[in-house]
Amino acid sequence: MNKSKGLVQRKNIASSSQSSDRDGLGSYDKDEDQDKKYIESEEDVDAKETRLTLMEEVLLLGLKDKEGYTSFWNDCISFGLRGCILIELALRGRIELEKAGMRRRSLLVRKVLIKNDTPTGDVLLDQALKHIKETSPPEALQSWIAYLSGETWNPLKLHYQLRNVRERLAKNLVDKGVLTTEKQNFLLFDMTTHPLTDNTAKNKLVKKVQEAVLGRWVNDPHRLDKRILSLVLLAHSSDVLENAFSPLSDDDYEVAMKRVSELLHLDMENESMKPNTVELMWGVFAAFTK
């Protein structure tokens, strides 16, 4: 989880792998305006049927287009997806970090508090929200990352683990028409896979990530859209950012990786103290980049 490895090395893979809303699970109720504002923070909101959550975007970047599964060697994406869940809840105004206090405690040891317990309509988000709401006394941010991923030595906290996250997210993407479901035989076992069916959604996602660190780049991370910033950093932490950058030319690739490196080396504690920040978002960044 607290991985310290640097930027992934560029792989010599063909760009052919880039061949590249909601699902009606609940209502907005009194939080309709806030959720709508969150979703429409993206400039490109024309394709309502393929609006994706942060978790779905990271998973989609990690899925092999034709094979329909993530790399067997990727042991980072599970943690990354849990980080996405916490950030998305924070961006939707459901959770926040407790106040830093006079001694300015670090982000990771501060407690996660409920800000608004109204369901979001997303099953995974609401399951995590329910766990946080029902926990007394509140737990620290670093603890919640461990609990939601099942990486805890405390047997009393194992029930907080969010199970089958990748499969549940893939099914959401199937419902949104981005993926399909197939069965593949791997000699000793059969596995459910989710190959890509909507090249437009994947291509749009890849282009959005590329433009965030190239054409639309600004040196101040606080001028970047919070959701785009989260996508780039959590995609890196999940070891799937390479899939978005591999089609770039050598020059653009070098520039993109240099700029991501700049983001990774930010002092997350200092950045969280600047005006109009979401402290929990920076806390998750700190957990995955230190």
Side-chain angles (χ1 to χ4, degrees):
M1 174 181 64
N2 298 330
K3 56 183 198 170
S4 58
K5 67 179 184 179
L7 291 172
V8 293
Q9 298 296 318
R10 186 172 193 182
K11 308 169 188 173
N12 294 320
I13 59 175
S15 61
S16 60
S17 64
Q18 302 301 333
S19 64
S20 331
D21 193 323
R22 295 182 51 85
D23 53 9
L25 294 176
S27 60
Y28 287 116
D29 296 327
K30 64 182 179 181
D31 286 277
E32 180 177 359
D33 290 342
Q34 184 160 9
D35 284 338
K36 183 177 179 181
K37 180 179 180 181
Y38 166 75
I39 293 171
E40 292 184 352
S41 65
E42 297 181 66
E43 292 185 18
D44 188 5
V45 295
D46 56 323
K48 296 181 180 179
E49 72 280 1
T50 54
R51 284 176 178 164
L52 308 179
T53 64
L54 186 58
M55 307 92 73
E56 292 165 352
E57 288 179 325
V58 169
L59 179 66
L60 186 56
L61 285 176
L63 285 175
K64 300 175 184 291
D65 293 358
K66 295 180 180 179
E67 294 86 347
Y69 52 83
T70 58
S71 171
F72 292 124
W73 310 111
N74 188 338
D75 59 354
C76 305
I77 194 169
S78 292
F79 288 109
L81 290 173
R82 272 65 175 188
C84 290
I85 289 171
L86 290 170
I87 288 179
E88 188 129 18
L89 284 171
L91 292 178
R92 294 191 182 204
R94 297 315 198 271
I95 60 176
E96 62 183 351
L97 288 185
E98 66 176 336
K99 302 301 181 184
M102 294 295 293
R103 296 185 179 181
R104 193 70 199 182
R105 289 168 296 164
S106 69
L107 294 165
L108 292 176
V109 302
R110 288 159 62 186
K111 310 298 184 183
V112 177
L113 306 178
I114 291 292
K115 186 177 181 180
N116 187 328
D117 63 0
T118 304
T120 66
D122 180 282
V123 175
L124 273 172
L125 292 179
D126 289 342
Q127 184 179 354
L129 185 65
K130 182 174 183 289
H131 287 330
I132 295 170
K133 177 184 176 181
E134 294 177 351
T135 301
S136 182
E139 296 277 1
L141 175 59
Q142 190 163 29
S143 296
W144 274 115
I145 296 173
Y147 295 160
L148 297 179
S149 60
E151 295 294 322
T152 174
W153 292 102
N154 187 342
L156 299 178
K157 305 295 184 179
L158 289 176
H159 67 285
Y160 288 140
Q161 180 180 1
L162 299 179
R163 300 181 183 276
N164 305 315
V165 169
R166 271 177 274 189
E167 180 64 20
R168 293 161 74 180
L169 291 173
K171 288 181 178 178
N172 286 350
L173 291 169
V174 171
D175 292 341
K176 294 181 179 181
V178 178
L179 305 177
T180 188
T181 302
E182 295 181 356
K183 288 281 188 180
Q184 288 196 31
N185 181 269
F186 289 86
L187 297 180
L188 298 178
F189 61 94
D190 290 333
M191 185 174 80
T192 301
T193 61
H194 300 282
L196 185 71
T197 58
D198 185 353
N199 293 346
T200 301
K202 180 70 174 281
N203 288 337
K204 185 178 293 186
L205 174 60
V206 168
K207 182 179 179 182
K208 179 170 68 173
V209 174
Q210 293 174 352
E211 288 186 346
V213 293
L214 291 173
R216 298 184 180 182
W217 174 255
V218 288
N219 288 323
D220 181 0
H222 296 277
R223 292 175 57 199
L224 290 171
D225 179 84
K226 292 181 178 65
R227 192 169 188 277
I228 295 295
L229 177 63
S230 300
L231 174 59
V232 171
L233 289 180
L234 269 297
H236 175 270
S237 298
S238 302
D239 204 9
V240 302
L241 188 59
E242 170 70 21
N243 297 340
F245 287 170
S246 59
L248 294 172
S249 67
D250 288 345
D251 288 344
D252 283 346
Y253 182 92
E254 184 177 355
V255 171
M257 289 307 237
K258 179 178 180 294
R259 288 171 175 172
V260 173
S261 180
E262 292 173 5
L263 294 176
L264 294 171
H265 287 89
L266 290 171
D267 185 326
M268 306 303 177
E269 295 283 348
N270 285 341
E271 298 299 328
S272 73
M273 292 187 282
K274 294 182 179 179
N276 301 317
T277 60
V278 177
E279 290 183 308
L280 190 144
M281 179 186 77
W282 290 100
V284 173
F285 295 164
F288 286 96
T289 58
K290 72 175 186 178

